[in-house]
Amino acid sequence: MAQAAPHTPATTPSAGGSGLDPLDLYAVRASLSDEERLVQESVARFVEGEVLPIIQSCFEEHRFPKELIPKLAALGLLGSSLQGYDCAGLNAICYGLICQELERGDSAIRSFVSVQSSLCMYPIFAFGSEAQKARYLPRMARGELIGCFGLTEPQGGSDPANMKTHAKKRGKDWVLNGSKMWITNGSIADVALVWAMTPAGMRGFLIDRDAPGFSAREIEHKFSLRASVTAALFLDNVLVPDEQVLPGVTGLKGPLSCLTQARYGICWGVIGAAQACLRQLLDYTATRTLFGRPLAHNQTIQVRLADMARRITAAQLLALQLGRLKDSGAMQPAQVSLAKWNNCRMALDIARDCRDMLGGAGISAEYAPIRHLLNLESVVTYEGTETIHELTIGRELTGFSAF
Ligand code: TGC
Ligand code: FAD
């Protein structure tokens, strides 16, 4: 199997003799605290030992490796940014590094952690009652309960304000009807956080998987994120007790706040996917001999590799500064949009160019770029498409909404 070599930063200096790490040309690692470096190293080891050996077959078999969940939990990677409730309480840079290392393995593993941490545990932590936090968070941190986040509907995910799923009061309880589409973890989740319209605006409902009238159906035939579970959710007169409604938020800003957390993680995650592709191409072009010399001796190959390193470096610095802003409490959603747009585009372009430089071998899943490329087609679409983030920046610059 020809999986990308794991990134072991201190031991992979560039061949140019300067001692620079080709995947970290601006020494981002050196600027990390001891704790941040430790987190990065332990997740990198986990990806090397547990993810890379199985991920190609998971992708080919369209299988999410559920067996990794207890290990992710044991490393403290579920809800890692939250304080209390058996969560690790790590800073934003650590969360970013976790996403980066996991996505070096595969976007599906980062996706699982993003949804569990940023889209399910975060809203329970930020908007839930004390009883909801006590009931769900410790078990979610231990990986005993899996969550999913149901916002997108079949009629158009970019415009969640046009929500058809609705909740009506019946006595003290709520009755929910509607459907959700493209929901990560949907059919393996023990609890679904479903966003639904009420007369007062959008609200979040925690629905246990065995609630009568609730069902999930896995979406098959995906060519992207094949190692991740994606499902449609159906709500047919689902009765939800009032104590299962998140009390702390009403309106679109509830789900959008969760998206800000998850998009932040994606800004880092996709750097890992791009680094995995570049690492493999540095090795491949050094050994593949054409026209009597290694491919890496050609100017156009070097220009393409240099361009990848340039774009990865810019993305790393963007993510690092975004993380510093987040840790200082100053991060704005528009800043997340710019980084999500830039970094996803960077990773998608690099994966495609790496696929091309592998020639015919590039279409085989034995090499990582095609898998990352296909995964990144989802990553550039979910959590706000590229266009949505471009228009968000347009609105920020001009003051006019073009949505
Ligand atoms: P707008 O009027 O801008 O805002 C409504 C209210 O929300 C507040 N707000 C935010 N709050 C936190 N974070 C953000 N990013 C926020 N953006 C806006 C805003 O301040 C306002 O608050 P208030 O108090 O004034 O009411 O809303 P809009 O209707 O103009 O928004 C338009 C748009 C297009 C930006 C928004 O609808 C959008 O982001 N659409 C994309 C939807 C999307 O990203 N869906 C993702 C679904 S989940 C998913 O893909 C998971 S993949 C998981 C994985 O596997 O990793
Ligand atoms: P649409 O909104 O129909 O967009 C179609 C096209 O129109 C896009 O190119 C878009 O950029 C463009 N467009 C939209 N508006 C405009 C405009 N104003 N001007 C110009 N162009 C525009 N959702 C969840 O809620 N939870 C999940 O866990 C989840 N996981 C997912 C996992 C996967 C693998 C995928 C693929 C999706 C997931 N999603 C999830 C859904 C995801 O968020 C949506 O696919 C995304 O928001 C886009 O919505 P849509 O697919 O309905 O496309």
Side-chain angles (χ1 to χ4, degrees), residues 110-111 114-115 119 149 151-152 157-158 160 184 252-253 256-257 259-260 263 333 382-384 388 392 395 403:
R110 196 270 310 137
S111 245
S114 289
V115 169
L119 296 183
F149 176 90
L151 179 67
T152 301
S158 299
T184 301
L252 191 54
K253 72 167 178 273
L256 290 183
S257 307
L259 294 181
T260 294
R263 289 166 178 172
Y382 67 34
E383 300 276 3
I388 289 301
T392 298
R395 180 171 66 178
F403 292 115

Side-chain angles (χ1 to χ4, degrees), residues 135-369:
R135 177 174 178 204
Y136 289 108
L137 292 179
R139 294 188 65 199
M140 293 183 88
R142 291 196 295 270
E144 295 164 6
L145 285 181
I146 304 310
C148 71
F149 176 90
L151 179 67
T152 301
E153 298 190 349
Q155 72 276 0
S158 299
D159 183 15
N162 178 32
M163 184 170 283
K164 306 292 182 223
T165 298
H166 56 268
K168 289 199 175 128
K169 212 68 196 276
R170 184 191 289 170
K172 276 191 76 218
D173 299 330
W174 296 85
V175 179
L176 268 71
N177 280 287
S179 64
K180 299 288 172 179
M181 189 67 185
W182 300 115
I183 306 306
T184 301
N185 299 347
S187 53
I188 59 166
D190 302 289
V191 56
L193 170 54
V194 170
W195 296 93
M197 263 323 170
T198 74
M202 203 177 284
R203 297 196 70 183
F205 295 80
L206 293 165
I207 303 177
D208 291 336
R209 66 179 300 160
D210 52 6
F214 176 81
S215 58
R217 191 180 63 222
E218 185 165 359
I219 296 172
E220 293 172 346
H221 311 298
K222 288 183 299 168
F223 281 87
S224 176
L225 279 180
R226 287 174 60 84
S228 170
V229 171
T230 317
L233 308 182
F234 303 96
L235 300 115
D236 181 9
N237 285 315
V238 180
L239 195 67
V240 182
D242 197 44
E243 59 267 22
Q244 291 295 96
V245 185
L246 296 180
V249 75
T250 300
L252 191 54
K253 72 167 178 273
L256 290 183
S257 307
C258 308
L259 294 181
T260 294
Q261 308 302 314
R263 289 166 178 172
Y264 166 78
I266 289 173
C267 297
W268 285 83
V270 293
I271 295 170
Q275 288 173 320
C277 294
L278 176 56
R279 174 72 268 157
Q280 190 154 53
L281 262 291
L282 289 172
D283 296 340
Y284 186 82
T285 55
T287 54
R288 177 88 170 161
T289 300
L290 292 167
F291 300 101
R293 56 184 184 174
L295 211 45
H297 290 213
N298 292 288
Q299 285 188 349
T300 52
I301 293 291
Q302 288 197 12
V303 167
R304 289 163 80 179
L305 295 172
D307 195 52
M308 290 179 197
R310 172 183 67 82
R311 295 182 69 177
I312 288 173
T313 303
Q316 285 172 313
L317 297 178
L318 203 52
L320 188 68
Q321 173 62 5
L322 194 65
R324 301 277 182 237
L325 287 168
K326 191 170 195 304
D327 275 329
S328 72
M331 184 180 84
Q332 294 295 319
Q335 294 167 325
V336 183
S337 280
L338 189 128
K340 203 267 181 185
W341 162 25
N342 181 79
N343 291 13
C344 287
R345 172 52 52 193
M346 169 284 295
L348 185 60
D349 290 349
I350 285 177
R352 183 167 293 140
D353 209 24
C354 287
R355 205 287 319 140
D356 177 71
M357 285 200 280
L358 287 162
I363 70 154
S364 167
E366 293 211 346
Y367 291 85

